[in-house]
Amino acid sequence: MNYCRISGLGYYLPEKVLTNQDLEKMVDTSDEWIRQRTGIELRHIAGEDELPSDMALKASLQALEQSQIKPEDLDFILVATLYPDQLMPNTACELQRKLGISNVPSLDISAACSGFVYGLSIASQYIQSGTYKNILVVGTETLHHITNYEDRTTCILFGDGAGAFVVSQTDDPQKGCVYHQELQAYGDLGELLFISSPGAKQAAKKDFNTGKQDTYIHMDGQKVFRKAVQIMCDAYEKALKDTGRTPDQIDWLVPHQANERILKKFCKSTSFPEEKVIFDIKETGNTSSASIPLSMARAVEQGKIKRGQDILMVAMGGGMTSGSILLRY
Ligand code: UT7
């Protein structure tokens, strides 16, 4: 049997930070409101010339070093991102070029904040089927480009960053394996969270070339919040049911860091202990597809998550999309 294990993790956060105090000077908000309603104190912002592929490269090199796998040993590169370097070539091809390799299939995944979990799920299928041995899966975001810093309901949330996993084939499930995974999407809820440009929908409009394109993230915060809690609860119950586990057999929950209150509501509804949840939004904000690999890599670095522990990852985002994976690290 082939099992899929995480052989290396890496992350990157840009140097520049945007604090709640900075935001107080930009929109009608307060540090207190942002901390109470979201748990965020600051977020990182990529440099002027820093592209998603540049940040992906930094996170990937760390993950490759940890896994002791050379870039030329990669069989597949998957990059989840909301806002790629450009429409073509894709960011995964750009990352491949920056890694100094060639002749490796490379694909971008567009599933908003669930993109990384979609990527990990795809990667695990290729590993388990025996098709590939080593796959690089990355989430990377420069959300500041698509954040409207005049809209206080969204600009307080988002930050930039990247996280990467190298996943590898093993015949020993004790070294790591995927127990359960489930992807989902609710296309009927698309209007709750969207970015309409660049895209054909906007291009078809008359004012496309007049400079009036709307490239910002739009969100119905309250509705997304309620759906996010429901998705987390459902994913958790399903993972327990399908694997025949009890809650104490999950060592850590590594969720998409959308809002600290979403995670606390999940814990209240399911009685899952908050001490077993990785809360990592305070100094990063919501980094969309980067948030799960970023928070997992940081939790491992901080010595919280250890080898041999069982981890449940749950993500939800625009689409609306969702995804969950229960794995042994
Ligand atoms: O990662 C993808 C998925 N995204 C998410 O999961 C985000 C989900 N949603 C959220 O995190 C929350 O809905 C927000 C953080 C966006 C908003 O928090 P909320 O507790 O849902 O606030 P609200 O929209 O119910 O607004 C409450 C009040 C309103 O004022 P009134 O009408 O009660 O007078 C807002 O106008 O707070 C006001 N408000 C703010 N006040 C100060 C909204 N944004 C701000 C702000 N500062 N930044």
Side-chain angles (χ1 to χ4, degrees):
M1 286 281 281
N2 299 314
Y3 298 95
C4 176
R5 70 184 288 264
I6 300 169
S7 53
L9 300 153
Y11 73 92
Y12 172 73
L13 285 167
E15 208 175 307
K16 186 179 158 191
V17 296
L18 182 68
T19 63
N20 291 350
Q21 287 73 19
D22 294 329
L23 284 164
E24 280 176 348
K25 292 177 202 141
M26 296 158 74
V27 285
D28 181 13
T29 192
S30 68
D31 171 49
E32 194 192 358
W33 191 96
I34 302 171
R35 275 190 288 111
Q36 278 180 3
R37 299 286 181 129
T38 69
I40 302 168
E41 286 182 12
L42 59 90
R43 37 334 261 132
H44 293 250
I45 305 292
E48 255 176 52
D49 299 326
E50 210 164 21
L51 296 171
S53 62
D54 295 321
M55 301 200 304
L57 178 68
K58 289 185 175 147
S60 301
L61 289 173
Q62 247 184 45
L64 284 160
E65 193 186 337
Q66 209 180 86
S67 66
Q68 297 187 305
I69 284 162
K70 296 194 213 79
E72 43 274 43
D73 295 329
L74 290 172
D75 301 309
F76 198 10
I77 299 173
L78 293 166
V79 173
T81 186
L82 250 184
Y83 197 64
D85 283 24
Q86 60 208 348
L87 288 182
M88 183 172 70
N90 65 26
T91 306
C93 283
E94 288 292 284
L95 174 60
Q96 183 196 134
R97 186 174 60 79
K98 289 176 182 177
L99 281 167
I101 52 175
S102 189
N103 207 14
V104 183
S106 299
L107 174 73
D108 278 13
I109 294 171
S110 173
C113 307
S114 313
F116 182 82
V117 172
Y118 267 64
L120 192 55
S121 168
I122 293 167
S124 72
Q125 300 296 330
Y126 274 103
I127 300 266
Q128 284 162 194
S129 69
T131 311
Y132 295 136
K133 284 196 164 53
N134 297 301
I135 302 179
L136 177 61
V137 191
V138 187
T140 183
E141 301 290 6
T142 52
L143 298 180
H144 78 276
H145 289 304
I146 46 172
T147 299
N148 180 357
Y149 288 101
E150 290 179 358
D151 175 7
R152 67 177 183 171
T153 66
T154 53
C155 72
I156 44 118
L157 282 176
F158 300 109
D160 300 343
F165 286 9
V166 175
V167 291
S168 304
Q169 196 187 82
T170 177
D171 55 10
D172 180 2
Q174 293 304 316
K175 287 187 178 161
C177 64
V178 171
Y179 300 111
H180 170 269
Q181 54 189 301
E182 190 172 37
L183 303 179
Q184 197 47 268
Y186 312 89
D188 55 321
L189 299 179
E191 81 284 1
L192 297 187
L193 190 50
F194 65 90
I195 306 159
S196 51
S197 186
K201 204 168 163 181
Q202 278 280 315
K205 289 190 181 163
K206 273 199 273 255
D207 62 356
F208 181 62
N209 289 318
T210 62
K212 287 190 202 151
Q213 297 162 51
D214 179 359
T215 54
Y216 293 135
I217 300 172
H218 294 269
M219 182 175 71
D220 184 332
Q222 281 188 14
K223 286 191 182 151
V224 172
F225 189 104
R226 283 198 292 274
K227 186 71 187 170
V229 176
Q230 187 202 324
I231 284 172
M232 285 200 65
C233 295
D234 291 351
Y236 167 75
E237 302 291 355
K238 185 101 196 323
L240 290 182
K241 190 167 164 247
D242 288 1
T243 58
R245 277 164 189 262
T246 51
D248 57 300
Q249 289 173 306
I250 294 177
D251 295 303
W252 290 102
L253 176 74
V254 181
H256 167 45
Q257 309 286 328
N259 182 329
E260 194 175 88
R261 271 168 51 228
I262 292 177
L263 310 186
K264 291 196 166 163
K265 274 222 155 173
F266 159 81
C267 291
K268 212 169 168 201
S269 303
T270 58
S271 303
F272 190 80
E274 280 189 20
E275 307 76 63
K276 293 208 290 181
V277 178
I278 298 298
F279 287 95
D280 191 24
I281 198 169
K282 195 166 139 190
E283 294 179 352
T284 58
N286 177 340
T287 57
S288 189
S289 67
S291 97
I292 286 189
L294 187 60
S295 50
M296 171 92 182
R298 281 157 62 88
V300 169
E301 185 181 67
Q302 289 158 9
K304 290 183 190 158
I305 296 181
K306 298 187 179 63
R307 283 281 178 201
Q309 291 187 321
D310 289 344
I311 318 291
L312 177 65
M313 299 173 184
V314 185
M316 70 309 270
M320 283 189 72
T321 54
S322 69
S324 61
I325 294 198
L326 178 60
L327 55 78
R328 164 166 286 222
Y329 172 56

